[in-house]
Structures are given as C-alpha cells and as structure tokens.
Amino acid sequence: MALRARALYDFNSENPGEISVKENEIVTLYCEQDIEGWLEGVNSRGERGLFPASYVEILKNTAPSYNNNISAGDGYQASKYANISGSGYDTSYNTQPIDENLSKTSAPSFTSYPVPVQHPPSYQPSQASDDDWDDEWDDSSTVADEPGVIGGSFPDYEGNGPSTYRMSTSSMPRGGTAQQAKSSATVSRNLNRFSTFVKSGGEAFVLGEASGFVKDGDKICVVMGQYGPEWQENPYPFVCSIDDPTKQTKFKGMKSYVAYKLTPTHTQSNVSRRYKHFDWLYTRLVEKFPVISVPHIPEKQATGRFEEDFISKRRKGLIWWMNHMTSHPVLARCDVFQHFLTCSSTDEKAWKQGKRKAEKDEMVGANFFLTISTPAVPLDLQDVESKIDGFKAFTKKMDDSVVQVNTTFNEFARKQIAGFKKEYQKVGLSFKILGQAFELDQQQFSVGLNHAIAYTAEAYDTVGEYFAEQPRQDLDPVMDLLALYQGHLANYPDIIHVQKGALTKVKESQKHVDEGKMEGASADGICERCNIISFATLAEIHHFHQIRVRDFKAQMQHFLREQIGFFQKITTKLEEALQKRRSR
Amino acid sequence: MALRARALYDFNSENPGEISVKENEIVTLYCEQDIEGWLEGVNSRGERGLFPASYVEILKNTAPSYNNNISAGDGYQASKYANISGSGYDTSYNTQPIDENLSKTSAPSFTSYPVPVQHPPSYQPSQASDDDWDDEWDDSSTVADEPGVIGGSFPDYEGNGPSTYRMSTSSMPRGGTAQQAKSSATVSRNLNRFSTFVKSGGEAFVLGEASGFVKDGDKICVVMGQYGPEWQENPYPFVCSIDDPTKQTKFKGMKSYVAYKLTPTHTQSNVSRRYKHFDWLYTRLVEKFPVISVPHIPEKQATGRFEEDFISKRRKGLIWWMNHMTSHPVLARCDVFQHFLTCSSTDEKAWKQGKRKAEKDEMVGANFFLTISTPAVPLDLQDVESKIDGFKAFTKKMDDSVVQVNTTFNEFARKQIAGFKKEYQKVGLSFKILGQAFELDQQQFSVGLNHAIAYTAEAYDTVGEYFAEQPRQDLDPVMDLLALYQGHLANYPDIIHVQKGALTKVKESQKHVDEGKMEGASADGICERCNIISFATLAEIHHFHQIRVRDFKAQMQHFLREQIGFFQKITTKLEEALQKRRSR
C-alpha cells in the first residue's frame, strides 16, 4: 500500500520542482522522510514534485502532526531535529497567539512599493517557501534555525516596542541565552522570565551570577571620548564588498539558491556566502551581544526570490548591513564575524569547526558583560538615567519620522512611476497627435514645425520614462537606509530595557542596604556591574549617533545629487527639443 | 397704486446693486421703463436694486411679456428697440429649439480649468448677467446687439459643424445679410434658407444678383504667391497693444465694467474700449466677410467678471484676437476695424458716425465678393476642389487633436497645481519631521546635518510651489492659443460650405448648358464668380496655414523655454540645498 498524506492547508507552488496541493487533497508520497522540511510526492492531478512537509499529515494511523514531529521518524535527517541546543527557545513561546505572529510578519515592507504578499498565507511561511532554509548542513543547529518552529521570529516578547517597528521575519530575538541560574542573591528576581532584562543575561550579570574565563583577545574596551563613553576604535578597520549574486542549484536543479561573493579588505580573498549564512551569523550575534544593536539582515521573501529586482534589492540590503557591521568597533572584530568573512568556502572542515565554536561560545549574554573593561571613574547614575531617557525619546521620535518618510517616499515613488510618467507621456502623446494633424499640411514652410513637434513629443515621452526610472536612483537608496535604521530602532527598546533593569537593581540593593537586609559589599558589586552595563549602553548610543549622522549626511547628499542630475537630464532633453526647433 | 411686476424666473444677484427675485415673486417698480434691460425696484424682502427687465412681467392689465416688448412702452429708451436694422435676423430663427442654444452656450470652456457655470441658468444668460450688455449707447443698434433676443447667439444654424467645436456665446453668426433677392436665374435655388451658402450671400453672388459700387479703397486683391492664391499683403502693417484693464462704474456705482487701453502702432494714440465694443466689431466683421475666418473674441462669462484672474485671462484672449486681426491682410485694413482702433474714445459724435456707417455698409455678404479682384488666369476647378477637400480633412484632424491637447493640458495643469505640488511638499514635510527628530540630538557633530535637512525640507516645499505656479507660465498660453484656433476651426465648415455651394452651381449650370436650358454666357458668369470665391477661399486657407505655423512655432518655443526655465529653477533650488549641506 502506497504511503499517503492529506494536505492540511492549501499550498501554491511558486518555483520549479514544487507542486500545488489543496486543503484535504490526498497526495502519494515516495518517502515519508522529509528532505529539509520538504516531501516529494504526486498530487491528485498526477503532478510530481516537492511540497512542504508541514502542510500535510501522513496517513498511517498516527495523530495529525503539524510541525517538527514530521521529522521524528528514523532516517538520515532525523538527527538534526533531535539535537536541540540548550540555548533554544522556551517552548512556552508557542502559546503566543498566532495572530500576533501574523501581524508582525505581515507588517508593511517599506523598501518595496507593493507590499509583498506573504506566500503561502499560513503561519509557517519560511519553511514552505523560502529556499534559504534548504539547509545542506547536516550538523547540529539550534531550533531557531529550523523550519516549523512557530514563534521563531517573535521580535518583541513583551509587546513593549512601538507597533510600527518593522522586524525582519528572520530576526533571531535576543534572549536565546536566558540563564536559568539558581538564585542566591537577596535582591528580588524579575518574575517575568520573558523580560528582556532576564533573557539577555543582564539580570544574571548584575546579580553577580555570570562567570567565565575572559581571554585577552575577547576584551572589549569602553573609553571616555569627547562626547562621553565610546567603544574603543577598531585599530584594524576594514570594509567588505558584496558582489556577483549568482543563482546556484541542488537536488538535480529542483531547488535553487543565490550565493554572494564577499571580499573583505583586510584579507583581500573572497568567500561565497548564502543568505542563510548571514542569517546564521545574525542569530549568533544577537545571542552574544545584549546591549549592541546588531543590524537586521534584509527580510526573507517568499515569492520572486530569483527575480533580478529582488536579488539586487537583497544585495543592496546586505551591503548596508555589512557596512554597519564593519563600522561597529565591537561587531567588526568579533570571532564569529571574522570566521564568516574569512573562512574559505571550500574548506568545509574549517567552516564547521568555526561554526561549532561559535555555537558553543560561552562569552555570550550575561558573560558578554564580563569582557567589557571600562574607564576607572564610575558614571553618575542620575546622569546616565537622564541620557538614556533622552535617547529613548529620540528613538521614538526618529522611528515615527522614519515611518512617515518611508510612507511619503513610497507614495512619491509610486506616483512618479505611475502618475507622473503618465502625465508627461500624455503631454508627449498629445503633441504627437497634433503633429500628425499638422503633417497633413506638407507645404515647405510647415515642415520644420512638424519635425519639431514630433521631436518634442518624443522628448516628453522620454521625460515620462525619466520620472519612472528615477525613484530607483534616489528614493530607493534612502528607503534602504531607513529600513536598516528601522531595524536598529527596533533593537533599542530591549537595549534600554537591560540598562534600566540594571539601574532598578542598584536602587533596590541600596534600599536593602538601608534596611539592613543586604551587605554593603554586595550592593557595591551590583552598582559596579550596573556601571559596566551603563558604559556599554552609552558607548553603543554614541556609536549609533555617529553612524546615523554619517549615513544620513551621505544619503541626503546622494539624494540631492541624484535629484539635481534628474532635473538637469530633463532640462537637457527639452533643450534638445528646443534646438531641433530652432535649427529648422 | 404702486407699479408692480411678477418674476417669471429666478434671478440671483451677482453684483452690488442687483437684487435677487424668485419665480412668481411680486416686486414693486420705481419706473416701468427699463434702463438698458434693467429695472429698478424693491423685492418682497424689502431689498432695493436692479434686476433684468426680461425676468419679470409688469402687472398692468397686459399679457405676460417675455422679451423686447418690455421696452415697447413710451419713454426715452423706446426708440432704440424700434429702430431695427434691416440686416438683422430673420425672426424665424426664434423657432430654433432652445435646447440647441443651451447646448452651445454650455459647451465646456477649454481655457479655464473649472468649467465655468453659466449664471443664471436660463436661456437668457447674456442679458441678466453680463454687464457688457449694459449699453450706454442710446443710438440705434441691430437687434442682435440687444438683450432679450432669443437665438441672438446661434453659432451654427444647420448644426452641421462638428459638435466638438467650441463657439463663443457671443458669436454673431455669419449670414446676417441673407438676401431675399428675387431670382431670375435658371439655376435652381437652395431650398434651405438657413444654408450658410444662402445666408452668407454666396448663392446670390454666384447667381449674379449682387450689385454695388465698389470704391477703390474697398478693393481686396488676391495674388498668386509661391504656394498658390494669397491675400495681397497689407502694405502698412501694424500691431496693437491692449493694456491697463480698468474697472469703471456707472449708475452711481451700481453697475461696473472693464475698459482696456488699445494702442495701435500706426497711430500711436490710444483709445479706450470695452468688451462690448469688441463684440460689436466682431458682429460687423462676421456679417461683412463671408469667406474670411474672423477670430472669435473671448467668451462671455457670467460670474466673477471683475476678478483679477478673469480680467487677466480676458485681456490675454483679446491680445491674441488683436494679433490675428492685425495679421490678417483683409481684416486689418477694413474700415470698421480702423474706426474701432482709431476713433477717439471721447469724441462721441465721430464714434457714432463711424458706427452707423459700419452698420449701413453695403459691401457686406454677397457684395463683399464684388470687392475682390483676382489674378487673370482662372483656377482649375478640380484642383480647387481637391485642395478644399484636403483642407477640410486637415481642419477636422487639427480640431480633434486640439481637443485632445486641451484636455491633456487641462488635466496636466490641474495635476501640477494639486497633485505634483502636494507630493513635493509632502517630501519637504517628511524631511522636516525627520529633521525635527534629529534635532533632539544637539551634539556638535549632528548640528550640520540638522540644518541641512531643515533647508532641504524648505527647498522641497518651494519646489512644490514652483509646480503649482508653472502651468500659468507654459500650459495656459498654449491653451489660450488653442482656444483661438478652435474658433477658427469652427469657422471653416461654413467657409468651405460657401465655396462648395458655388462649385455645385457651376456644375449645375454646365449641365443646364449641355441640356440647352441655359445660355453659355450665363454659365460663364457663374463660373467666373465661382472663380472669385475660390480665389478668396484659397487665399484665406493659405493665410490660415501661415499664421498657424507662425503661432505654433512661437508658442511651442515659448512652452519649451518656460519648461526648461522651470526645471532649471528646481535644479538651482536643490543645488542650494546641497551647498548648504556641504558648507557645514
């Protein structure tokens, strides 16, 4: 008897090699074992191909299974689902209402004019449709890396970020390293185990529970600069280009992916990386650095992944991301990023070694704070609090304005591509029609005018095209920048939350000392550790302002130059038309 | 007992000094004699002022009277209605359905963006609402000059013009001189007494019924030019400026009008003329010249006549009109036009003398053709027919394209004034909001960017204003030109009709000669006279092409120059913003 499965949801094939199935449709399977979340089979119309394993339930006297129990059977793939890293999500995340998840992933994308329709419209889009998840790795990875984990992309556990924040659906939330340490401190613990302060390891660190061996190379310095605490500059600055996005295939051409060529200036040798490598790296970084705003990688996209526009757009997003990575004194130097940038694409062994090392890195979360060394003079906590509050207000206002600029630019781009183009081309067309009428008169004194009108008609048609092409040159780059900053702005509530949590602990401990419930030395320790978090937070805020001013200055100049060039191009075109007219 | 009247229609006052009345409302009159079509009285709400005499019937045991019998009573005004010129309309015109009249007068105006609403919405708008009819003249004038004559502005008796032709509501139709001559010819007469061929006097002339004494000064020459028959050039070319539209009042300020200063270059002394003088002149010219396309004067407008925009627009229309008048070799030289241009505004006697002379001119209509002298070699009639047919096709196609250009430009102007402006100002606003967010950060390295963004915001706001102001500079002048040409294009079907009518008579007469029903000499006479009409028609067509090429060349150049200047202005503004950014 053939192995069969029943479709739980509609799935519409989007790429070669996939087949569509309807809810309740019975499909015949070749094998019950999925290949990285995909099953191969024949649907009721006799079409053979792949479809997402999670979209069907296998009919063999088992209860309906939605998610990763599909892969619970035996086989060569089983190990990867079994080997769940300790740093994975608390399973209680799955109790989050699905609605919230949907509302986050379907937030409007500001970098493309039409809001991309998520496909398929279920709560597991990444598994079914983003081939970046077609993992050729068979070594262990975290649950968050795996398809089919609901809630794998919750951007904000407490819902305390502004709802306008756009989160990459692939965002690995901070807090993967929440330490369930046994408490021995006298300061009360936060009862909310999902609080960022707890999950980031901030609480554990402040309470003195973090411990680890800090190598010299891991030391991260905060120094006092002209404007306050700063990250010590990277003594070996470098940048990294991202070029040649190339479509590659596997599974006998049934599944495809895009690889990019990365060339860091400090090694000058290029490596090939896929989106999923970026995604893996991003996850590591978020896990490791609790008070650093890790730039978001470009969003996943379900459909049209191999269209030139999308590839070009994603590449631009990755370039921006890379720019922010290499600009950051701490992120640029960290081991996992260096591994990503420098490990040869062909040396699989070295790659896996570095990968495992990064995944087993102990200096993440709470322990990260151990690596920070600060100036000797402690900060004034009241001053810190006021600076943090000021920054909080800044991010809120900047986020609002970025949303507004995005909306306006989106609309403006749409108008230029459609309306403006149409209007100028209609002017061109009406001149053309007038010229055609005039051409019925072929007397010698009319010919010059007729030619000139025909040329003017063409000129306006061209001007219409100019308008349609322009947003790509000026509005799109600004929107790309804004998208990256929206990611940063979405990070800051958590970063601020960690610092504020530490500050609260200081106040509590001082109160306990006053009440005689705690020893002064313990309270001093808490205060010192809070001081470290504060230094790091202020350094990060300073870095943010610096790159913000740098980026916006450059981008606004680019925007204006492009606009000037655009209007000059129109002027030139019309001057040609006028010359045409005069020369006759 | 007070003199009373009952309102026949609603009248809504539009200007100071007027009062509104409702249909069936009883008004008390101060005097039953109207002042140039207006009565003074008190309405049921106790308001005192003027209202149109034709809107009420006086209640004094007389039958309801609608029109000019209002003025049939005794009094100082009575004479002007009694003195009806013989060249006036056949009263049977009044049998034309009112609908047709309305449909003509409510044709969309292409020179203004909103279609002007005719006010009041009755079939007598000119009397009730256009103060240009507030005639201070008390000497005789033609019926067509008078208010209250229904059908006084029929543009096309046969309805044979394309329905897209826009006719000035003030158009004096050609054919006011229809001659009811007793026929003695053997060629059949056109049974349609409203045919343009008949009304223009073309038929009478071809049939040899026109007669009059042609003074040397009245001689109009057609010569053979490079491209065929041409009007002999005006040996004393001149132009005439129209300046200083000034609002003036009468009736103790209760009624107002606008006077223009006209300065012809050949006299260098200026005269003051009102719209109604132009209107009177136009009527004379249409009456006199059957195969010349008299440029239409700008349309009447019921409301907002004293608004600056309207006055400026009308002045521009009159300037175009004057340009076409002085450019025309025949029109520029004719007596009535010279009288209009040169007679002192203060010498009422001379003015009236010239006016009467013009109204009694015998060399109009059929007799006009007597004044034409042509080259000795007759035209090839088949060649003429083909040229005329070609021109007919040309006018049709040009008219269609002019309608299209007008529609497009109207829409384009509207878009720039509303949509484009809004889009650029929204960009400015979003920069402003972003700048305001950034200003929360006042660190030294941020200040330059903040200023630059604020300046860019202002620049885009200004660019929005540029877009809104621009159509007035480039689209409006083109539309003004098109409006004038729409008037010419509306004239040509009648002109062509006259020539074709003459040609038909030639064919008929030749047939009659073949059949022995007519003497060869009679047929030769018809052919000779048709030859004169053909020369005149071809000369007029040539003139049309010449001024068309001249006007469109100039206007297209103006349009392109304005557009170039406009885009350069934007470029300059954005360059300023970029400099601002760099200098910081």
Side-chain angles (χ1 to χ4, degrees), chain A residues 144-171:
Chain A
D145 266 335
E146 296 303 331
V149 177
I150 302 171
S153 59
F154 279 165
D156 186 347
Y157 306 102
E158 301 173 317
N160 55 4
S163 62
T164 51
Y165 282 165
R166 187 188 56 141
M167 301 295 291
S168 163
T169 54
S170 64
S171 305

PDB file of all heavy atoms in Angstrom, chain A residues 144-171:
ATOM      1  N   ALA A 144      16.053  27.388  16.600  1.00  0.00           N
ATOM      2  CA  ALA A 144      15.649  28.620  15.915  1.00  0.00           C
ATOM      3  C   ALA A 144      16.054  28.604  14.449  1.00  0.00           C
ATOM      4  O   ALA A 144      15.496  29.307  13.633  1.00  0.00           O
ATOM      5  CB  ALA A 144      16.270  29.824  16.596  1.00  0.00           C
ATOM      6  N   ASP A 145      17.028  27.790  14.106  1.00  0.00           N
ATOM      7  CA  ASP A 145      17.449  27.672  12.719  1.00  0.00           C
ATOM      8  C   ASP A 145      16.491  26.828  11.907  1.00  0.00           C
ATOM      9  O   ASP A 145      16.525  26.848  10.691  1.00  0.00           O
ATOM     10  CB  ASP A 145      18.815  26.987  12.643  1.00  0.00           C
ATOM     11  CG  ASP A 145      19.927  28.007  12.613  1.00  0.00           C
ATOM     12  OD1 ASP A 145      19.671  29.146  12.178  1.00  0.00           O
ATOM     13  OD2 ASP A 145      21.021  27.652  13.018  1.00  0.00           O
ATOM     14  N   GLU A 146      15.689  26.023  12.612  1.00  0.00           N
ATOM     15  CA  GLU A 146      14.908  25.017  11.915  1.00  0.00           C
ATOM     16  C   GLU A 146      13.570  25.551  11.440  1.00  0.00           C
ATOM     17  O   GLU A 146      12.954  26.391  12.077  1.00  0.00           O
ATOM     18  CB  GLU A 146      14.659  23.825  12.839  1.00  0.00           C
ATOM     19  CG  GLU A 146      15.918  23.114  13.225  1.00  0.00           C
ATOM     20  CD  GLU A 146      16.691  22.625  12.007  1.00  0.00           C
ATOM     21  OE1 GLU A 146      16.061  22.330  10.954  1.00  0.00           O
ATOM     22  OE2 GLU A 146      17.901  22.535  12.101  1.00  0.00           O
ATOM     23  N   PRO A 147      13.130  25.016  10.328  1.00  0.00           N
ATOM     24  CA  PRO A 147      11.788  25.369   9.887  1.00  0.00           C
ATOM     25  C   PRO A 147      10.761  24.742  10.802  1.00  0.00           C
ATOM     26  O   PRO A 147      11.033  23.755  11.472  1.00  0.00           O
ATOM     27  CB  PRO A 147      11.713  24.756   8.488  1.00  0.00           C
ATOM     28  CG  PRO A 147      12.716  23.646   8.510  1.00  0.00           C
ATOM     29  CD  PRO A 147      13.793  24.060   9.463  1.00  0.00           C
ATOM     30  N   GLY A 148       9.605  25.292  10.812  1.00  0.00           N
ATOM     31  CA  GLY A 148       8.499  24.653  11.501  1.00  0.00           C
ATOM     32  C   GLY A 148       8.379  25.008  12.959  1.00  0.00           C
ATOM     33  O   GLY A 148       7.486  24.537  13.635  1.00  0.00           O
ATOM     34  N   VAL A 149       9.240  25.845  13.455  1.00  0.00           N
ATOM     35  CA  VAL A 149       9.092  26.243  14.845  1.00  0.00           C
ATOM     36  C   VAL A 149       8.257  27.516  14.914  1.00  0.00           C
ATOM     37  O   VAL A 149       8.689  28.578  14.515  1.00  0.00           O
ATOM     38  CB  VAL A 149      10.450  26.474  15.514  1.00  0.00           C
ATOM     39  CG1 VAL A 149      10.258  26.961  16.942  1.00  0.00           C
ATOM     40  CG2 VAL A 149      11.258  25.190  15.487  1.00  0.00           C
ATOM     41  N   ILE A 150       7.072  27.357  15.405  1.00  0.00           N
ATOM     42  CA  ILE A 150       6.207  28.535  15.491  1.00  0.00           C
ATOM     43  C   ILE A 150       6.805  29.508  16.492  1.00  0.00           C
ATOM     44  O   ILE A 150       7.288  29.117  17.535  1.00  0.00           O
ATOM     45  CB  ILE A 150       4.800  28.134  15.945  1.00  0.00           C
ATOM     46  CG1 ILE A 150       4.218  27.116  14.960  1.00  0.00           C
ATOM     47  CG2 ILE A 150       3.905  29.349  16.044  1.00  0.00           C
ATOM     48  CD1 ILE A 150       2.932  26.517  15.440  1.00  0.00           C
ATOM     49  N   GLY A 151       6.769  30.726  16.168  1.00  0.00           N
ATOM     50  CA  GLY A 151       7.269  31.720  17.112  1.00  0.00           C
ATOM     51  C   GLY A 151       8.756  31.946  16.954  1.00  0.00           C
ATOM     52  O   GLY A 151       9.352  32.667  17.726  1.00  0.00           O
ATOM     53  N   GLY A 152       9.330  31.361  15.956  1.00  0.00           N
ATOM     54  CA  GLY A 152      10.755  31.530  15.740  1.00  0.00           C
ATOM     55  C   GLY A 152      11.138  32.936  15.337  1.00  0.00           C
ATOM     56  O   GLY A 152      12.300  33.263  15.252  1.00  0.00           O
ATOM     57  N   SER A 153      10.179  33.738  15.097  1.00  0.00           N
ATOM     58  CA  SER A 153      10.534  35.095  14.678  1.00  0.00           C
ATOM     59  C   SER A 153       9.809  36.163  15.487  1.00  0.00           C
ATOM     60  O   SER A 153       9.497  37.215  14.989  1.00  0.00           O
ATOM     61  CB  SER A 153      10.221  35.273  13.189  1.00  0.00           C
ATOM     62  OG  SER A 153       8.862  35.051  12.962  1.00  0.00           O
ATOM     63  N   PHE A 154       9.511  35.845  16.727  1.00  0.00           N
ATOM     64  CA  PHE A 154       8.918  36.902  17.563  1.00  0.00           C
ATOM     65  C   PHE A 154       9.914  38.017  17.787  1.00  0.00           C
ATOM     66  O   PHE A 154      10.988  37.789  18.332  1.00  0.00           O
ATOM     67  CB  PHE A 154       8.525  36.351  18.936  1.00  0.00           C
ATOM     68  CG  PHE A 154       7.220  35.642  18.923  1.00  0.00           C
ATOM     69  CD1 PHE A 154       6.858  34.820  19.976  1.00  0.00           C
ATOM     70  CD2 PHE A 154       6.355  35.796  17.867  1.00  0.00           C
ATOM     71  CE1 PHE A 154       5.656  34.161  19.956  1.00  0.00           C
ATOM     72  CE2 PHE A 154       5.158  35.130  17.849  1.00  0.00           C
ATOM     73  CZ  PHE A 154       4.800  34.295  18.891  1.00  0.00           C
ATOM     74  N   PRO A 155       9.575  39.189  17.398  1.00  0.00           N
ATOM     75  CA  PRO A 155      10.545  40.256  17.549  1.00  0.00           C
ATOM     76  C   PRO A 155      10.512  40.876  18.939  1.00  0.00           C
ATOM     77  O   PRO A 155      11.460  41.476  19.371  1.00  0.00           O
ATOM     78  CB  PRO A 155      10.105  41.279  16.510  1.00  0.00           C
ATOM     79  CG  PRO A 155       8.649  41.024  16.319  1.00  0.00           C
ATOM     80  CD  PRO A 155       8.375  39.602  16.709  1.00  0.00           C
ATOM     81  N   ASP A 156       9.444  40.760  19.634  1.00  0.00           N
ATOM     82  CA  ASP A 156       9.307  41.532  20.862  1.00  0.00           C
ATOM     83  C   ASP A 156       8.396  40.762  21.807  1.00  0.00           C
ATOM     84  O   ASP A 156       7.195  40.711  21.659  1.00  0.00           O
ATOM     85  CB  ASP A 156       8.676  42.892  20.519  1.00  0.00           C
ATOM     86  CG  ASP A 156       8.651  43.800  21.719  1.00  0.00           C
ATOM     87  OD1 ASP A 156       8.885  43.302  22.840  1.00  0.00           O
ATOM     88  OD2 ASP A 156       8.414  44.991  21.527  1.00  0.00           O
ATOM     89  N   TYR A 157       9.017  40.154  22.790  1.00  0.00           N
ATOM     90  CA  TYR A 157       8.257  39.215  23.628  1.00  0.00           C
ATOM     91  C   TYR A 157       7.208  39.885  24.465  1.00  0.00           C
ATOM     92  O   TYR A 157       6.162  39.341  24.752  1.00  0.00           O
ATOM     93  CB  TYR A 157       9.219  38.458  24.544  1.00  0.00           C
ATOM     94  CG  TYR A 157      10.291  37.831  23.740  1.00  0.00           C
ATOM     95  CD1 TYR A 157      11.531  38.427  23.692  1.00  0.00           C
ATOM     96  CD2 TYR A 157      10.028  36.712  22.972  1.00  0.00           C
ATOM     97  CE1 TYR A 157      12.511  37.883  22.886  1.00  0.00           C
ATOM     98  CE2 TYR A 157      11.007  36.171  22.179  1.00  0.00           C
ATOM     99  CZ  TYR A 157      12.252  36.755  22.139  1.00  0.00           C
ATOM    100  OH  TYR A 157      13.209  36.229  21.356  1.00  0.00           O
ATOM    101  N   GLU A 158       7.522  41.068  24.872  1.00  0.00           N
ATOM    102  CA  GLU A 158       6.598  41.727  25.787  1.00  0.00           C
ATOM    103  C   GLU A 158       5.654  42.683  25.068  1.00  0.00           C
ATOM    104  O   GLU A 158       4.810  43.296  25.680  1.00  0.00           O
ATOM    105  CB  GLU A 158       7.394  42.499  26.846  1.00  0.00           C
ATOM    106  CG  GLU A 158       8.298  41.561  27.624  1.00  0.00           C
ATOM    107  CD  GLU A 158       9.209  42.319  28.550  1.00  0.00           C
ATOM    108  OE1 GLU A 158       9.762  43.340  28.138  1.00  0.00           O
ATOM    109  OE2 GLU A 158       9.343  41.883  29.701  1.00  0.00           O
ATOM    110  N   GLY A 159       5.835  42.770  23.797  1.00  0.00           N
ATOM    111  CA  GLY A 159       4.988  43.684  23.039  1.00  0.00           C
ATOM    112  C   GLY A 159       5.187  45.122  23.471  1.00  0.00           C
ATOM    113  O   GLY A 159       4.320  45.958  23.302  1.00  0.00           O
ATOM    114  N   ASN A 160       6.357  45.421  24.031  1.00  0.00           N
ATOM    115  CA  ASN A 160       6.545  46.790  24.525  1.00  0.00           C
ATOM    116  C   ASN A 160       7.249  47.697  23.522  1.00  0.00           C
ATOM    117  O   ASN A 160       7.449  48.858  23.782  1.00  0.00           O
ATOM    118  CB  ASN A 160       7.298  46.787  25.869  1.00  0.00           C
ATOM    119  CG  ASN A 160       8.622  46.052  25.758  1.00  0.00           C
ATOM    120  OD1 ASN A 160       8.995  45.614  24.662  1.00  0.00           O
ATOM    121  ND2 ASN A 160       9.322  45.910  26.872  1.00  0.00           N
ATOM    122  N   GLY A 161       7.605  47.174  22.391  1.00  0.00           N
ATOM    123  CA  GLY A 161       8.176  48.032  21.347  1.00  0.00           C
ATOM    124  C   GLY A 161       7.046  48.717  20.614  1.00  0.00           C
ATOM    125  O   GLY A 161       5.927  48.205  20.592  1.00  0.00           O
ATOM    126  N   PRO A 162       7.323  49.856  20.014  1.00  0.00           N
ATOM    127  CA  PRO A 162       6.272  50.503  19.233  1.00  0.00           C
ATOM    128  C   PRO A 162       5.802  49.555  18.134  1.00  0.00           C
ATOM    129  O   PRO A 162       6.621  48.853  17.535  1.00  0.00           O
ATOM    130  CB  PRO A 162       6.989  51.724  18.630  1.00  0.00           C
ATOM    131  CG  PRO A 162       8.220  51.910  19.446  1.00  0.00           C
ATOM    132  CD  PRO A 162       8.573  50.575  20.003  1.00  0.00           C
ATOM    133  N   SER A 163       4.527  49.567  17.894  1.00  0.00           N
ATOM    134  CA  SER A 163       3.997  48.596  16.961  1.00  0.00           C
ATOM    135  C   SER A 163       4.413  48.899  15.527  1.00  0.00           C
ATOM    136  O   SER A 163       4.238  48.088  14.647  1.00  0.00           O
ATOM    137  CB  SER A 163       2.478  48.550  17.064  1.00  0.00           C
ATOM    138  OG  SER A 163       1.965  49.816  16.722  1.00  0.00           O
ATOM    139  N   THR A 164       4.945  50.081  15.301  1.00  0.00           N
ATOM    140  CA  THR A 164       5.350  50.415  13.941  1.00  0.00           C
ATOM    141  C   THR A 164       6.723  49.858  13.595  1.00  0.00           C
ATOM    142  O   THR A 164       7.147  49.927  12.471  1.00  0.00           O
ATOM    143  CB  THR A 164       5.388  51.931  13.746  1.00  0.00           C
ATOM    144  OG1 THR A 164       6.169  52.494  14.805  1.00  0.00           O
ATOM    145  CG2 THR A 164       4.017  52.543  13.759  1.00  0.00           C
ATOM    146  N   TYR A 165       7.401  49.340  14.560  1.00  0.00           N
ATOM    147  CA  TYR A 165       8.719  48.767  14.259  1.00  0.00           C
ATOM    148  C   TYR A 165       8.565  47.627  13.289  1.00  0.00           C
ATOM    149  O   TYR A 165       7.755  46.725  13.456  1.00  0.00           O
ATOM    150  CB  TYR A 165       9.354  48.207  15.545  1.00  0.00           C
ATOM    151  CG  TYR A 165       9.936  49.277  16.431  1.00  0.00           C
ATOM    152  CD1 TYR A 165      10.270  48.999  17.746  1.00  0.00           C
ATOM    153  CD2 TYR A 165      10.175  50.560  15.941  1.00  0.00           C
ATOM    154  CE1 TYR A 165      10.816  49.964  18.570  1.00  0.00           C
ATOM    155  CE2 TYR A 165      10.725  51.535  16.757  1.00  0.00           C
ATOM    156  CZ  TYR A 165      11.044  51.230  18.076  1.00  0.00           C
ATOM    157  OH  TYR A 165      11.584  52.177  18.870  1.00  0.00           O
ATOM    158  N   ARG A 166       9.420  47.651  12.298  1.00  0.00           N
ATOM    159  CA  ARG A 166       9.389  46.556  11.372  1.00  0.00           C
ATOM    160  C   ARG A 166      10.485  45.581  11.759  1.00  0.00           C
ATOM    161  O   ARG A 166      11.621  45.962  11.978  1.00  0.00           O
ATOM    162  CB  ARG A 166       9.648  47.041   9.960  1.00  0.00           C
ATOM    163  CG  ARG A 166       9.451  45.945   8.929  1.00  0.00           C
ATOM    164  CD  ARG A 166       9.911  46.471   7.619  1.00  0.00           C
ATOM    165  NE  ARG A 166      11.290  46.924   7.760  1.00  0.00           N
ATOM    166  CZ  ARG A 166      12.205  46.737   6.815  1.00  0.00           C
ATOM    167  NH1 ARG A 166      11.883  46.161   5.700  1.00  0.00           N
ATOM    168  NH2 ARG A 166      13.431  47.164   6.990  1.00  0.00           N
ATOM    169  N   MET A 167      10.146  44.349  11.904  1.00  0.00           N
ATOM    170  CA  MET A 167      11.130  43.360  12.282  1.00  0.00           C
ATOM    171  C   MET A 167      11.342  42.418  11.130  1.00  0.00           C
ATOM    172  O   MET A 167      10.409  42.017  10.462  1.00  0.00           O
ATOM    173  CB  MET A 167      10.614  42.575  13.495  1.00  0.00           C
ATOM    174  CG  MET A 167      10.331  43.443  14.694  1.00  0.00           C
ATOM    175  SD  MET A 167      11.826  44.211  15.358  1.00  0.00           S
ATOM    176  CE  MET A 167      12.633  42.760  16.019  1.00  0.00           C
ATOM    177  N   SER A 168      12.547  42.067  10.899  1.00  0.00           N
ATOM    178  CA  SER A 168      12.819  41.035   9.909  1.00  0.00           C
ATOM    179  C   SER A 168      12.160  39.763  10.392  1.00  0.00           C
ATOM    180  O   SER A 168      12.218  39.429  11.569  1.00  0.00           O
ATOM    181  CB  SER A 168      14.317  40.820   9.786  1.00  0.00           C
ATOM    182  OG  SER A 168      14.558  39.593   9.145  1.00  0.00           O
ATOM    183  N   THR A 169      11.515  39.066   9.502  1.00  0.00           N
ATOM    184  CA  THR A 169      10.865  37.830   9.920  1.00  0.00           C
ATOM    185  C   THR A 169      11.911  36.812  10.324  1.00  0.00           C
ATOM    186  O   THR A 169      11.621  35.816  10.949  1.00  0.00           O
ATOM    187  CB  THR A 169      10.018  37.246   8.797  1.00  0.00           C
ATOM    188  OG1 THR A 169      10.844  37.116   7.637  1.00  0.00           O
ATOM    189  CG2 THR A 169       8.824  38.111   8.496  1.00  0.00           C
ATOM    190  N   SER A 170      13.121  37.080   9.915  1.00  0.00           N
ATOM    191  CA  SER A 170      14.163  36.123  10.263  1.00  0.00           C
ATOM    192  C   SER A 170      14.907  36.533  11.523  1.00  0.00           C
ATOM    193  O   SER A 170      15.857  35.895  11.924  1.00  0.00           O
ATOM    194  CB  SER A 170      15.163  36.023   9.121  1.00  0.00           C
ATOM    195  OG  SER A 170      15.803  37.269   8.972  1.00  0.00           O
ATOM    196  N   SER A 171      14.447  37.604  12.138  1.00  0.00           N
ATOM    197  CA  SER A 171      15.155  38.096  13.314  1.00  0.00           C
ATOM    198  C   SER A 171      15.246  37.004  14.367  1.00  0.00           C
ATOM    199  O   SER A 171      14.242  36.436  14.777  1.00  0.00           O
ATOM    200  CB  SER A 171      14.406  39.259  13.956  1.00  0.00           C
ATOM    201  OG  SER A 171      14.176  40.254  13.019  1.00  0.00           O
TER     202      SER A 171
END
